[in-house]
Each structure stands twice: as C-alpha cells, then as structure tokens.
Amino acid sequence: MSHHYSGPNLVFPRGDARLDYTDLFAFPKPGDPSKTILIMDVHPSFDVLQSGPTTAEPFAPEGLYEIKIDTDGDAIADIAYQVRFTSIRGGGQTATLRRLVGALAAGTGEGGEVIVQGAPVSMGREAQVTQAGDYRFFAGWRSDPFFFDVGAFNNFQFVGEDFFADKDICSIALEVPNAVLEPKLMGLWVRTLSWVDGSWVQAERGARASQTPFLTGEQNEAYRAAEPADDARFVGAFAHSLEHYGGFTPVEARRVAGTLLPDLLYYDPTRPASYPDNGRTPSDDAPDAFLAVITNGKVTGDGIGPHDDLLAEFPYLGPPHNGSR
C-alpha cells in the first residue's frame, strides 16, 4: 500500500519512521496553471508493528529530503529540490530549501541555490507557509491524504474501513513556477537520505504509489537503495509477484512489470493531473489503480474514497488529527 511501511514485514527504512517516504503528488496549481504543486509525504504517525504513535519530531535533522526531476527522459535528475531540517529547538524545527541543477541534482550531498532558509515547521493544526519570490513552501504535520481499506494488511480482504482516515503524515509542499521546471513531460521521484559514517546514504525512494509490495527481502532493500535509471534489473522480481498475485503468464507478467519501471511519476504541467497517466492529486484513487494491476483486473477497487478534509488552497492537505503536536 503506497510506500507506507515500505520495508519487508512493515518496517521503516533504517528503523526510522521520519525517513519513510509515503506519497508523491504533482499537479497544476488550481486556478493558476502557470505553477505546479509538488508534495512529498513522509513519516507515518502510526507504527503498525508497535501498534502506537511514532516520534513527535516531524523530520530527521540528520536526514535529507529530495524531490528529483528528470527533464530529458534518461531517468537521471536534472533538477532537484532538497530540504534539510534543524533539530527541535524551543518546541519546533526550521527548514532550508535548496534548488540543485545538473550534476548536483544527479549526485548525493548538500548544495545548490538556497530558496528558503529558516522556514518554520508546522507542529500543530495551523499551516505555517513561507513565501520566497515565486515559490511557496510548507513543511509539517498534516492529515494523511492516502486512503485504503484496512484489509490491505490482510491479503486484500476488505471490510469497508479506511485505515488512514484518522492518521497523520509529515508533508513537504512546494508551489513552483513552471518556468523553472521546463513545461513539458518530466519524470519525478523522491528520496530520503541519512548521514551514516561520514557520508549520505539513500534510505528510501519512490514515485508511483504501491511499488514496494511487489518486492520482498533483499530485493526490497536493493530497490529502495537504487536509482530509477537502474530499475530494469527489478523487472524479474516485479513479474514474479504479478504471476503470484494476478495469475499472469510469465510473458505477460514481464510486459506489465515493464510498464511499472522505471519508478517515475510522469507529469506534464500543461495537462490536467490524473493518476497514473499524468501526475497525481491527493484525491486520485491510486489504490484502485494498484489493485487493478496486481490482480490482473480481478479486483478494481476497495470501495474507499478520498478524505473530506483536503483543502482548496496551499498546502492542500488537511490539518493533522492530533492537534497537540
């Protein structure tokens, strides 16, 4: 389900919920198609294995959070937006947003042009938004927009209850002028990195919803550490899952697996957003698209719809359910 609890057996990457990427959204700004909204969600508020809340600190100060953008079709980043957070001081965190291009965008490490510095992170229900020229920036706790029947944890035995209806997430939202994105078809993905033994190590990455359920064990770990440009090596593992869950023939399984890789969210800002064809909005039913693929059309939906707390304005995700954060 999405990328929540994306490690094998529902664990967090590197054991840190703050580094767990969950969802990526990209869509034209409502009412102003000259701008794009990019949203990267991380850090589920609930730990399934511990059956309780995760840490109250939204983002890992020893981590990096990146939105990567390929503009020429080679699945290598040409533009990146990178966010680094401070440790909690006085009850809150602050964020620095940078823009990287070229080799810096494709590489690993801090750098690039500072767009926003010292932006407050929203710890409670009020969304603290920072304006910087043509950019708007938000980071903090929000209501988790992902929706899926609780039966996703029980071999898709649906019961009509949305597991995520009362859950929160930590969101990074950007309003970006299309002029700095190159207004044409792009491939987007996100990643989190952790500082380990003197260097940055990729903890998690993803783009399309619900990719990691195709992978188990060592393949899952290798996938989360890889780059989209290398995703052809995972076609066989995806195909194996499709044969198992959907009853695909080996040939058809490999064909369908090839449509899911490389793991990029394709987005053209000149067209309306609609997942999985072009970008993704918080109300798009990504779980239904996943179910139709993995079951070879035998299951086309779980009966759960979008949450009713979505906002019509930036940062678009509703306030967190736990208002005491």
Side-chain angles (χ1 to χ4, degrees), residues 17 101 114 197 213 230 246 282:
V101 296
V114 174
D197 297 330
D230 300 322

Side-chain angles (χ1 to χ4, degrees), residues 1-6 10 20-23 44 46 48 144 146-154 156 162-164 208-214 280 286-287 290-291 294 302:
M1 57 174 173
S2 193
H3 272 258
H4 295 69
Y5 320 106
S6 50
L10 303 178
D20 192 313
Y21 153 68
T22 64
D23 287 294
F46 187 79
V48 173
D144 192 339
F146 191 65
F147 50 97
F148 210 170
D149 193 291
V150 69
F153 291 101
N154 186 28
F156 307 132
D162 182 0
F163 175 80
F164 297 93
R208 294 170 58 96
S210 304
Q211 293 284 88
T212 50
F214 289 97
R280 181 183 171 194
F290 164 71
L291 289 169
I294 201 169
D302 64 348

Side-chain angles (χ1 to χ4, degrees), residues 97-117:
L97 168 69
R98 291 181 169 88
R99 183 175 189 268
L100 298 79
V101 296
L104 283 177
T108 297
E110 289 186 272
E113 173 192 5
V114 174
I115 304 296
V116 173
Q117 190 166 24

